[in-house]
Amino acid sequence: MPVNARIVGVGSYLPEQRLKNADLERMVDTSDEWIVTRTGIRERRLAAPDQATSHLGAIAARRALETSELEVEDIELLIVATSTPDMFFPSSACLIQDAIGLSCPAYDLNAACTGFIYALQSAVTAIESGRYQRVLVVGADTMTRHIDFTDRGTCVLFGDGAGAVVLEASDEPGVLGITLGSDGSGWEMLMVPAGGSAAPATVERIAEHQHQVKMSGNEVFKFAVRVIPRATKQALEASGLGLSDLDWLIPHQANQRIITAAAERLGMPEDRVFSHVAITGNTSAASIPLALDDLYTSGRLVPGDTLALVGFGAGLTWGAAVLRWSLARPDEED
Ligand SMILES: CC(C)(COP(=O)(O)OP(=O)(O)OC[C@H]1O[C@@H](n2cnc3c(N)ncnc32)[C@H](O)[C@@H]1OP(=O)(O)O)[C@@H](O)C(=O)NCCC(=O)NCCS
């Protein structure tokens, strides 16, 4: 009997402080009307001054462990998807491990906004190999720490947050198929030019905002609308399923126009495509597990549902996973 990897716990965390479009109107030359019509975003969350990526991730991880009803000692591997770690090293995974009291191996993985799907693939492979039974996967980012709040083209888009899942080996179907992709020739479309080994931080570079996110918005938009349907179809094919088998599509929450255009191309009915980008903005690697947890806690995910998670981001990277859901609705748990 082949081993399957199944999600047995899910949790998330959004910091308290809200940054509304009206607040951004006071910071840059923009308007609530422009932001809502071009992106669908109304507000996003900001990590508190004493919160870094690992703090958000640790809260989401604890919540995922609670829903799984497993103990910290049951977890054998921790993978944290982030492109905004607390510091270059140690990894945010080690900091989360320390915060929640895990004693297993822990590492960070960076595939930008696609990080959670990449981490899911790593966790599934680890379980299917027979080496690990229970893996905790966290997606956490504090994008607002790397945003240029004088650049209206990027500062309206991003927010902070974290999401997590616990995966366990099972005889029952769980993650049915995953597809991943990258195209490094698109590296310049979305990046933070300075602060790394290519261009270490200097007073001049910081004054020029080179340590903050630079993006070719239009290019990324077109890439996203193309890649979401393609990756979703590939993951469905890898699962031996078709579009009509899907109960839910959970796309990376970057922009409502991207979500709507990609879902239309795919032919997925709007009421089966989850979006809460209006209240989160783009939380990068946290976006998909945050959306998954919101859908789960709202009681709309039913055991037996088939769902596709699909992400895209800097790199360029993309990925999709098809899952058979098995967690009971939160109000039905004993
Ligand atoms: C960034 C994005 C919202 C811009 O929307 P757009 O419809 O493509 O707008 P454009 O970039 O063509 O800009 C149109 C105009 O609006 C202006 N503009 C950009 N941001 C603005 C803002 N916040 N408020 C007001 N005007 C703005 C531009 O300066 C431009 O003005 P111009 O015509 O005078 O030069 C959109 O391209 C996008 O969402 N791209 C994908 C980004 C993304 O998801 N990144 C993360 C991937 S993981």
Side-chain angles (χ1 to χ4, degrees):
M1 189 78 152
V3 183
N4 301 307
R6 209 157 59 116
I7 291 181
V8 295
V10 57
S12 65
Y13 173 70
L14 282 171
E16 293 291 310
Q17 194 189 341
R18 290 174 156 82
L19 182 70
K20 293 180 182 273
N21 291 350
D23 302 319
L24 287 161
E25 280 177 353
R26 289 188 283 276
M27 297 160 76
V28 285
D29 181 15
T30 191
S31 66
D32 175 54
E33 198 260 332
W34 192 95
I35 301 171
V36 171
T37 51
R38 299 295 180 111
T39 73
I41 301 168
R42 294 179 184 277
E43 62 179 42
R44 64 293 286 144
R45 302 295 181 97
L46 294 181
D50 62 349
Q51 285 181 318
T53 296
S54 70
H55 301 108
L56 314 190
I59 299 173
R62 277 198 201 96
R63 291 179 177 172
L65 268 170
E66 266 167 41
T67 40
S68 74
E69 295 177 3
L70 292 169
E71 304 298 329
V72 283
E73 3 353 301
D74 297 324
I75 300 299
E76 297 168 352
L77 181 64
L78 167 64
I79 308 173
V80 176
T82 186
S83 52
T84 56
D86 298 43
M87 49 193 98
F88 277 127
F89 56 85
S91 65
S92 291
C94 283
L95 300 173
I96 293 174
Q97 181 203 40
D98 183 46
I100 68 175
L102 296 173
S103 52
C104 61
Y107 64 90
D108 282 4
L109 174 160
N110 178 354
C113 296
T114 322
F116 181 75
I117 306 289
Y118 270 68
L120 199 65
Q121 168 75 88
S122 301
V124 167
T125 306
I127 288 173
E128 287 177 350
S129 73
R131 185 91 163 80
Y132 297 94
Q133 299 292 303
R134 281 168 293 270
V135 181
L136 176 57
V137 173
V138 177
D141 270 306
T142 43
M143 288 299 289
T144 68
R145 296 277 155 82
H146 302 274
I147 292 300
D148 176 357
F149 278 98
T150 65
D151 174 13
R152 66 179 183 173
T154 51
C155 75
V156 302
L157 299 175
F158 295 96
D160 302 331
V165 297
V166 179
L167 288 131
E168 186 172 42
S170 169
D171 295 337
E172 304 294 318
V175 179
L176 306 175
I178 304 192
T179 180
L180 299 179
S182 12
D183 175 8
S185 72
W187 68 275
E188 281 175 302
M189 282 188 207
L190 183 49
M191 63 162 167
V192 176
S197 57
T202 59
V203 172
E204 292 74 25
R205 287 179 180 136
I206 290 172
E208 290 164 2
H209 297 275
Q210 287 189 41
H211 63 302
Q212 292 167 325
V213 173
K214 308 286 172 226
M215 181 180 71
S216 310
N218 261 313
E219 298 299 307
V220 175
F221 190 102
K222 284 184 257 171
F223 154 68
V225 172
R226 255 195 335 265
V227 86
I228 292 175
R230 197 175 70 206
T232 307
K233 282 184 196 156
Q234 283 171 355
L236 279 166
E237 216 171 280
S239 314
L241 298 175
L243 198 64
S244 57
D245 297 307
L246 267 191
D247 296 297
W248 289 103
L249 176 69
I250 303 185
H252 172 43
Q253 309 285 299
N255 179 325
Q256 188 56 49
R257 277 166 57 221
I258 293 176
I259 294 172
T260 305
E264 262 169 29
R265 274 197 184 200
L266 193 57
M268 191 70 188
E270 210 182 336
D271 62 343
R272 295 273 115 187
V273 181
F274 183 81
S275 174
H276 67 180
V277 70
I279 57 161
T280 61
N282 182 345
T283 57
S284 194
S287 141
I288 290 174
L290 261 166
L292 179 66
D293 190 40
D294 195 352
L295 186 62
Y296 168 67
T297 48
S298 73
R300 282 176 287 167
L301 261 185
V302 186
D305 273 358
T306 304
L307 52 153
L309 316 177
V310 56
F312 59 90
L316 298 169
T317 55
W318 61 92
V322 172
L323 324 174
R324 176 77 30 81
W325 194 252
S326 56
L327 261 181
R329 279 189 177 130
D331 53 8
E332 285 170 8
E333 286 189 330
D334 47 34

